């Protein structure tokens, strides 16, 4: 029952991305992360295999992100499709029993890329160094070198994030609240 309640919250939290790409994407990611706290707050029997359950429920917001990304063009779309496909291969390997450590090789960079591209039109023009502007004042599509630079930066961030979750398993050793209260004990030797 606990898994069903949290899954319904996660699905509802994913839907705003269809209306507002950036804000809806942030809501979906926030709701995705909130299940770490919801599991502590709701006591309806627990989740026997949280990591597996989480990866399946993640598919809702990931596919909704893809629906939005399919409306993009140029490098924004090409990179999004490639990153989606790469992570989906990792998800399939994980679902087939490869273990969650495999996810470090298939990082969910698609999520970070999606938020980056969705945020670009909302950045103040003074924070867009070197970006060409379209006639309406929004950022022009990314060039290949810009896409590569941003992709490398976002990939580095996401690989570290995947390490903390699936290889270092920092949140496995304690609850999220305990993690922040006593960071060094929860991480242990790195």
């Amino acid at each position: 029952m606990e898994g069903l309640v949290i899954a319904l919250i996660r699905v509802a939290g994913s839907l705003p991305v269809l209306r507002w790409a950036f804000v809806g994407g942030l809501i979906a990611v926030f709701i995705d992360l909130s299940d770490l706290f919801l599991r502590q707050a709701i006591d309806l029997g627990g989740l026997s295999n949280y990591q597996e359950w989480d990866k399946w429920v993640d598919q809702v917001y990931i596919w909704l992100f893809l629906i939005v990304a399919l409306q993009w063009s140029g490098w924004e779309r090409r990179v999004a499709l490639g990153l989606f496909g790469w992570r989906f291969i990792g998800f399939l390997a994980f679902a087939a029993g490869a273990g969650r450590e495999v996810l470090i090789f298939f990082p969910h960079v698609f999520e970070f890329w999606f938020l980056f591209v969705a945020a670009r039109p909302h950045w103040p023009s003074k924070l867009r160094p070197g970006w060409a502007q379209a006639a309406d004042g929004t950022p022009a599509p990314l060039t290949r070198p810009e896409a590569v630079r941003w992709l490398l930066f976002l990939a580095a961030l996401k690989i570290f994030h995947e390490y903390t979750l699936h290889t270092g398993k920092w949140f496995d050793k304690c609850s999220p609240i305990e993690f922040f209260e006593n960071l060094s004990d929860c991480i242990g030797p790195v």
Side-chain angles (χ1 to χ4, degrees):
M1 185 56 130
E2 186 172 318
L4 177 61
V5 169
I6 297 172
L8 290 173
I9 292 169
R10 296 259 312 258
V11 169
S14 300
L15 295 174
V17 76
L18 296 173
R19 175 80 168 110
W20 307 284
F22 178 58
V23 173
L26 289 177
I27 291 169
V29 170
F30 175 76
I31 296 297
D32 174 40
L33 295 173
S34 75
D35 63 25
L36 296 171
F37 297 95
L38 289 171
R39 288 176 42 220
Q40 289 182 293
I42 299 173
D43 186 14
L44 298 172
L47 291 165
S48 60
N49 188 346
Y50 170 74
Q51 287 300 324
E52 185 176 336
W53 173 90
D54 178 62
K55 295 302 165 260
W56 280 99
V57 178
D58 282 350
Q59 294 306 302
V60 174
Y61 88 86
I62 293 169
W63 281 88
L64 292 175
F65 279 17
L66 178 65
I67 289 169
V68 174
L70 287 171
Q71 299 169 29
W72 299 340
S73 61
W75 286 103
E76 289 89 342
R77 178 185 167 125
R78 286 184 213 137
V79 172
L81 293 176
L83 292 173
F84 172 84
W86 186 250
R87 178 59 175 201
F88 192 66
I89 292 169
F91 165 73
L92 293 175
F94 172 79
R100 67 192 251 206
E101 292 79 12
V102 75
L103 297 175
I104 193 80
F105 300 105
F106 297 92
H108 191 9
V109 181
F110 173 64
E111 175 184 72
F112 280 23
W113 180 261
F114 178 88
L115 293 173
F116 164 70
V117 172
R120 288 183 75 228
H122 304 286
W123 288 15
S125 58
K126 62 185 167 189
L127 295 178
R128 300 178 193 160
W131 287 355
Q133 301 293 313
D136 63 359
T138 60
L142 291 172
T143 64
R144 182 179 180 190
E146 288 171 331
V148 169
R149 281 194 301 273
W150 280 105
L151 178 58
L152 291 174
F153 172 72
L154 296 169
L157 289 177
K158 190 58 182 183
I159 290 169
F160 174 73
H161 180 240
E162 296 286 352
Y163 172 81
T164 66
L165 294 176
H166 303 298
T167 305
K169 300 179 183 177
W170 292 359
F171 290 107
D172 286 8
K173 299 172 186 170
C174 56
S175 73
I177 293 169
E178 292 167 337
F179 177 85
F180 290 111
E181 288 177 349
N182 198 351
L183 190 63
S184 63
D185 289 345
C186 293
I187 295 174
V190 179

